Amino acid sequence: MTELLQKVRVIDPVSEIDELFDVLIADGYIREVASHISDISSDTQIRDCQGLVLGPGLVDLYSHSGEPGFEERETLSSFLQAAAAGGFTRVSILPDTSPVIDNPALVAQLQQKRAEGHRGRGAEGQRGRGAEKSLSPLHPSSPAPLLHLWGAITVDVAGKQMTELADLASAGVVGFTDGKPLENLALVRRVLEYLQPLGKPVAFWPSDRQLTANGVMREGTNALRFGLPPIPASAETTAIAAMLELVATIGTPVHIMRVSTARSVELIASAKAAGLPITASTTWMHLLLDTKAVKSYHTSLHLDPPLGNPRDVAALRAGVRAGAIDAIAIDHTPYSYEEKVQAFAEAPAGAIGLELALPLLWQYLVETEEFTALELWRALSTNPAECLGQKVSAILPHQPAELTLFDPQQPWKVERKSLYTLSQNTPWLGQQLKGHVLQTWC
């Protein structure tokens, strides 16, 4: 099928472009990009895209899938549908499934299931709500995103015994992480030494669990006011400092996950200035909300690491803009209603986000002019891909069409019938949002 997108706002971080163009797409490739395209075949589908945004497909560094083991929270199918609805063309799931993704056999099994899912969408890779959901404005030809698997660093992500890293690398994992804090620094050092020749990304979540203790909220006046056990910023910063020392000694490139404090941004910026081979990410909710939001005691605001104080949020935003923080991760963490209906401190930490991140980040960062559209799109697409050792193509002729079409003004309500994810653990449930993905190509 040939499509002509007329007068669409092209946001391309690769070419540093934010301009209005006509874009011709055919057979999975961008055929032409120009101020006006008139030489087209008679069967070309023409779409008026005034007011719409076209950018590279979004890339999520890490999120949780319920399947295998917790299919009541999320299946691979619903996960991929939610990702496509959120504008993502590549996603990577963390290994803390049940069983854990810590052996080549499970990697092969999940890859086969993924391939079967793609074949099940037909020759054109079509994906739609079908009988499950019928109310989405997402174009029915939007394909499922490319699914990557993180391989576990330790057996059962228990932090004790290393997995067969070379075998997992050969099986095709995108990189290595436990997605949980690894506090045995001797083990971390050995992992960095073993991984050096494999050339795969490795991601760590630095967090001192002894300092975290039973805390559920960032230490500060709001934690005192709300009567919730605090977590000091030093639980994160001391662990990051130790990680940076190991990277300086061993030299293996490392990705630092879930950065959430102002001091962490300072440490990472200094390490990058010194030439350490590190990248870093924060999550989308840590850029939007601070500890004041916890006043509602909504259990979907119980995150780990916790939401920061206002100073932390300001530093994270500045860090993303300056490049100290490379990427914005979604860290989609679905839980069932029954699991989340508890007291704040007892509820499991995490919230969904694949379908919510782009509209909310655009609304609160781009429309307020705190971020440029290029800065946000870069942190959600090209930079996460680079953290995974991948590239994103420019929006230019003869390049693959891996794209997201977004309407920043389209209103929609966050409710069960409008979400692809099987879970609804989000503080925005029941609220009216502005901004919706219309179509993806990949």
Side-chain angles (χ1 to χ4, degrees):
M1 182 173 70
T2 302
E3 300 171 88
L4 175 60
L5 310 183
Q6 292 185 322
K7 298 293 180 276
V8 68
R9 180 182 177 184
V10 173
I11 297 174
D12 183 6
V14 180
S15 304
E16 293 289 328
I17 288 172
D18 183 355
E19 297 180 39
L20 289 179
F21 286 108
D22 286 2
V23 179
L24 187 67
I25 302 169
D27 302 322
Y29 283 85
I30 299 167
R31 298 302 182 187
E32 189 175 354
V33 179
S35 56
H36 179 68
I37 298 174
S38 56
D39 186 11
I40 57 175
S41 61
S42 59
D43 61 347
T44 300
Q45 179 183 345
I46 300 174
R47 298 174 66 175
D48 181 1
C49 292
Q50 293 188 67
L52 306 185
V53 170
L54 184 73
L58 305 186
V59 179
D60 183 28
L61 269 174
Y62 45 87
S63 280
H64 299 264
S65 169
E67 186 179 0
F70 304 99
E71 286 82 358
E72 70 279 4
R73 298 174 184 169
E74 198 82 278
T75 64
L76 282 177
S77 176
S78 66
F79 177 86
L80 291 172
Q81 289 179 8
F88 291 89
T89 56
R90 306 181 201 179
V91 289
S92 304
I93 63 170
L94 292 166
D96 59 342
T97 49
S98 182
V100 169
I101 306 174
D102 62 2
N103 63 85
L106 184 57
V107 173
Q109 179 185 330
L110 291 174
Q111 287 173 335
Q112 181 179 356
K113 187 174 181 67
R114 173 186 63 191
E116 290 171 352
H118 278 270
R119 286 196 297 271
R121 288 176 174 84
E124 295 182 4
Q126 292 197 348
R127 185 204 70 81
R129 287 179 183 255
E132 292 180 341
K133 301 280 189 179
S134 59
L135 302 177
S136 173
L138 193 69
H139 195 278
S141 66
S142 293
L146 180 61
L147 176 67
H148 296 293
L149 308 173
W150 284 99
I153 293 173
T154 65
V155 175
D156 289 330
V157 294
K160 295 179 180 179
Q161 177 188 348
M162 268 195 302
T163 57
E164 296 294 337
L165 300 173
D167 290 347
L168 283 168
S170 298
V173 298
V174 72
F176 297 95
T177 186
D178 271 7
K180 297 181 178 181
L182 257 181
E183 295 190 81
N184 183 337
L185 292 180
L187 176 60
V188 172
R189 181 186 171 109
R190 287 206 310 276
V191 168
L192 293 179
E193 292 169 342
Y194 272 90
L195 284 177
Q196 204 162 42
L198 297 183
K200 290 277 188 178
V202 58
F204 292 98
W205 173 21
S207 178
D208 186 315
R209 302 320 263 183
Q210 289 184 316
L211 285 171
T212 298
N214 66 339
V216 296
M217 184 176 175
R218 179 64 66 217
E219 186 176 69
T221 55
N222 284 327
L224 288 171
R225 185 176 295 121
F226 305 151
L228 292 170
I231 300 175
S234 56
E236 177 171 291
T237 56
T238 55
I240 286 179
M243 177 63 64
L244 295 176
E245 287 296 321
L246 289 177
V247 173
T249 301
I250 308 299
T252 304
V254 159
H255 181 78
I256 298 175
M257 306 166 66
R258 300 179 177 133
V259 177
S260 69
T261 74
R263 177 59 181 152
S264 298
V265 177
E266 293 175 2
L267 290 170
I268 291 165
S270 296
K272 285 188 170 187
L276 265 64
I278 58 169
T279 55
S281 59
T282 188
T283 84
W284 70 286
M285 285 184 68
H286 287 87
L287 290 172
L288 291 180
L289 301 173
D290 60 35
T291 52
K292 294 190 295 293
V294 181
K295 182 180 181 181
S296 68
Y297 296 96
H298 196 299
T299 56
S300 293
L301 296 171
H302 179 190
L303 306 178
D304 196 5
L307 293 172
N309 291 307
R311 176 175 172 267
D312 298 315
V313 176
L316 290 169
R317 291 180 178 183
V320 171
R321 294 193 64 195
I325 304 299
D326 299 88
I328 301 171
I330 307 306
D331 207 6
H332 177 85
T333 308
Y335 280 107
S336 68
Y337 175 81
E338 291 76 15
E339 289 173 302
K340 275 291 193 179
V341 181
Q342 301 186 56
F344 187 92
E346 277 72 50
I352 60 170
L354 287 169
E355 297 166 81
L356 305 172
L358 178 58
L360 283 163
L361 289 168
W362 186 279
Q363 183 176 346
Y364 289 103
L365 297 182
V366 176
E367 291 200 351
T368 59
E369 299 185 350
E370 187 168 349
F371 277 48
T372 67
L374 273 171
E375 286 170 339
L376 177 62
W377 216 277
R378 181 182 297 112
L380 286 168
S381 61
T382 54
N383 281 8
E386 289 174 5
C387 292
L388 294 170
Q390 302 171 357
K391 295 293 184 183
V392 169
S393 299
I395 304 179
L396 293 172
H398 314 300
Q399 295 297 319
E402 185 178 352
L403 304 165
T404 294
L405 184 64
F406 174 62
D407 183 348
Q409 301 304 319
Q410 180 173 312
W412 64 288
K413 188 175 183 180
V414 183
E415 52 190 343
R416 186 184 186 93
K417 66 181 181 181
S418 65
L419 294 171
Y420 283 89
T421 176
L422 300 184
S423 298
Q424 288 84 48
N425 53 308
T426 171
W428 284 278
L429 189 66
Q431 295 187 28
Q432 194 84 6
L433 300 189
K434 187 171 66 170
H436 213 295
V437 170
L438 302 181
Q439 186 173 351
T440 60
W441 295 260
C442 60

